[in-house]
């Protein structure tokens, strides 16, 4: 039996066509699942009997098991989910003035293994299926009795290392008959897989792209992110320029401020020179300390000075505090704690 949440409108329509059913029934099925939130094919009363019977013998509705739900002082809610093969993944719900945003996980573990990141402490065990990503949204919505308005694909894993499933996931949550979350309300973050940035630029949807930069030069970036040895800054920034040219969209450069590692004034200057002219802004992120690593967040005064320097040099930047720090909400942390039984 297959999980129905793995299907996009297009794949389901193709299946229906092959089976000799009307393809528009795919949209009707999506309405039942994602609008009316029905969990049983027999309730899909406007479908032909044959279609219902086919669905019932082919598909199941999967569920994620909520292992833990932790609420932070600032209202951030972290979910730890158990998959069918008992691996643990997490999703984080954030309450913003503009809506509810969910941070979704794309892989069990992460092979990129960045030096500062809890998710990279464990090698990737496997990619998540489309359904396992879709179900993170559905489970949180059901448990909290709300609708998620924004999705950030920034949980554990490298989304562009699970490209096809992540793209299908985006299609399901964006589909008018699906969760109908606007493309502009969806953000995907990558450590910088150049060929996939180029592929992503070819897609019609106006989904936001964030690039984890974290360094002003190759020497520092290679120390923090070993992916930089494969895709160094020059080809990475060239692909970002191509993306902006092709899509006319502004990208976000993420930059975690790490004390005495990448937060010197000279680094702000170098960064400004490197990215000047690219339609982008820099999102300065406060580091959420991870016990296993020695990195520390930049002192507030240094962070402010770095921010001011970028702005003075004509680079648009934002600086906000990391949310959910008291519940290990950053990337992969709760999961790691749980597995180690702490
Ligand atoms: N693998 C993708 C998406 C998941 S990580 C990527 O790297 O972009 C999402 C963001 O969280 C990245 O910018 C990552 O560098 C950042 N991050 C990871 N660990 C962090 C921590 N301890 N504190 C703050 N940000 C962190
Ligand atoms: Fe993987 Fe992103 Fe963490 Fe790097 S920062 S280890 S790419 S999840």
């Amino acid at each position: 039996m297959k999980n129905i949440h793995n299907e996009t409108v297009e794949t389901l329509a193709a299946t229906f066509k092959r089976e000799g059913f009307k393809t528009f029934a795919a949209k009707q099925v999506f309405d039942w699942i994602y609008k009316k939130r029905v969990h049983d094919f027999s309730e899909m009363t406007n479908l032909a009997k044959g279609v219902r019977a086919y669905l019932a013998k082919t598909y199941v509705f999967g569920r994620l098991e909520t292992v833990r739900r932790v609420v932070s002082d600032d209202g951030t809610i972290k979910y730890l989910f158990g998959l069918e093969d008992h691996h643990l993944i997490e999703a984080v719900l954030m309450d913003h003035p503009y809506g509810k945003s969910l941070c979704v996980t794309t892989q069990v573990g992460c092979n990129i293994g960045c030096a500062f990141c809890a998710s990279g402490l464990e090698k990737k065990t496997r990619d998540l299926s489309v359904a396992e990503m879709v179900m993170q949204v559905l489970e949180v919505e059901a448990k909290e009795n709300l609708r998620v308005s924004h999705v950030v694909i920034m949980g554990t894993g490298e989304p562009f290392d699970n490209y096809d499933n992540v793209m299908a996931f985006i299609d399901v949550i964006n589909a008018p008959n699906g969760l109908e979350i606007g493309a502009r309300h969806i953000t995907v973050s990558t450590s910088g897989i150049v060929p996939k940035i180029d592929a992503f630029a070819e897609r019609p949807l106006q989904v936001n792209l964030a690039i984890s930069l974290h360094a002003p030069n190759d020497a520092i970036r290679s120390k923090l992110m070993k992916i930089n040895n494969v895709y160094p800054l020059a080809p990475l920034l060239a692909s970002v320029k191509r993306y902006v040219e092709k899509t006319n969209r502004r990208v976000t450069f993420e930059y975690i401020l790490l004390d005495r590692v990448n937060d010197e004034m000279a680094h702000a200057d170098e960064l400004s020179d490197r990215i000047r002219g690219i339609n982008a802004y820099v999102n300065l992120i406060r580091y959420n300390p991870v016990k296993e690593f020695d990195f520390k967040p930049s002192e507030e005064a240094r962070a402010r000075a770095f921010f001011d320097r970028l702005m003075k040099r004509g680079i648009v930047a934002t600086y906000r505090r990391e949310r959910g720090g008291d519940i290990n909400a950053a990337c992969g942390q709760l999961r790691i704690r749980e597995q180690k039984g702490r």
Side-chain angles (χ1 to χ4, degrees), residues 107 109-121 154-159 189-191 212 214 225 227 256 331:
Q107 297 178 316
C110 182
N111 272 345
I112 310 294
C114 299
F116 50 80
C117 176
S119 297
L121 280 170
M154 290 195 188
T156 300
E158 169 47 55
S189 174
T190 178
S191 58
S212 293
H214 305 325
M225 308 174 73
I227 188 78
I256 304 176
C331 210

Side-chain angles (χ1 to χ4, degrees), residues 49-98:
K49 274 218 173 74
V51 176
R52 266 184 274 166
Y54 173 78
L55 289 169
K57 71 167 198 271
T58 314
Y59 295 104
V60 289
F61 286 84
R63 291 295 297 267
L64 289 178
E65 180 206 348
T66 300
V67 176
R68 268 176 81 177
R69 175 184 178 275
V70 193
V71 184
S72 156
D73 297 340
D74 63 13
T76 299
I77 305 174
K78 179 133 175 166
Y79 272 85
L80 190 70
F81 293 121
L83 304 176
E84 264 170 32
D85 57 6
H86 304 298
H87 288 304
L88 297 170
I89 58 163
E90 50 191 58
V92 180
L93 182 69
M94 289 159 288
D95 197 1
H96 294 292
Y98 54 78

Side-chain angles (χ1 to χ4, degrees), residues 275-311:
I275 64 173
R276 182 164 295 114
I278 303 179
N279 183 17
Y281 77 95
V282 177
N283 185 21
L284 296 172
I285 303 169
R286 193 183 150 78
Y287 183 56
N288 210 334
V290 178
K291 228 201 285 182
E292 284 78 358
F293 308 128
D294 290 333
F295 295 108
K296 289 201 303 276
S298 296
E299 291 150 18
E300 216 46 41
R302 283 173 77 86
R304 282 280 145 214
F306 196 96
F307 169 80
D308 290 342
R309 188 75 161 212
L310 289 183
M311 294 295 276

Side-chain angles (χ1 to χ4, degrees), residues 22-209:
K22 299 251 188 310
T23 53
F24 75 76
K27 286 188 177 169
Q28 295 176 312
V29 172
F30 259 59
D31 280 333
W32 283 110
I33 299 174
Y34 295 107
K35 300 282 188 220
K36 305 189 186 100
R37 305 287 164 114
V38 155
H39 292 100
D40 190 335
F41 296 114
S42 66
E43 290 177 45
M44 302 183 179
T45 46
N46 63 351
L47 297 181
K49 274 218 173 74
V51 176
R52 266 184 274 166
Y54 173 78
L55 289 169
K57 71 167 198 271
T58 314
Y59 295 104
V60 289
F61 286 84
R63 291 295 297 267
L64 289 178
E65 180 206 348
T66 300
V67 176
R68 268 176 81 177
R69 175 184 178 275
V70 193
V71 184
S72 156
D73 297 340
D74 63 13
T76 299
I77 305 174
K78 179 133 175 166
Y79 272 85
L80 190 70
F81 293 121
L83 304 176
E84 264 170 32
D85 57 6
H86 304 298
H87 288 304
L88 297 170
I89 58 163
E90 50 191 58
V92 180
L93 182 69
M94 289 159 288
D95 197 1
H96 294 292
Y98 54 78
K100 303 277 185 186
S101 138
L102 188 70
C103 179
V104 169
T105 283
T106 56
Q107 297 178 316
V108 180
C110 182
N111 272 345
I112 310 294
C114 299
F116 50 80
C117 176
S119 297
L121 280 170
E122 270 167 60
K123 285 229 156 250
K124 176 181 91 173
T125 314
R126 66 175 177 84
D127 289 329
L128 293 196
S129 66
V130 180
E132 286 166 332
M133 292 183 264
V134 172
M135 290 188 301
Q136 292 174 53
V137 185
L138 294 177
E139 282 301 316
V140 168
E141 289 195 338
K143 285 257 160 41
E144 306 296 330
N145 194 24
L146 52 78
R147 288 287 174 264
V148 166
S149 61
H150 294 66
V151 167
V152 290
I153 306 175
M154 290 195 188
T156 300
E158 169 47 55
F160 283 1
D161 182 40
N162 185 13
Y163 187 80
D164 292 344
N165 286 350
V166 169
M167 294 306 123
F169 164 65
I170 289 172
D171 288 345
V172 172
I173 62 174
N174 176 252
N177 307 84
L179 292 177
E180 216 178 350
I181 297 172
R184 287 186 174 79
H185 288 189
I186 303 170
T187 302
V188 56
S189 174
T190 178
S191 58
I193 317 281
V194 167
K196 292 302 192 297
I197 294 172
D198 285 327
F200 192 63
E202 301 296 327
R203 288 180 54 92
L205 281 185
Q206 306 272 295
V207 172
N208 303 304
L209 177 65

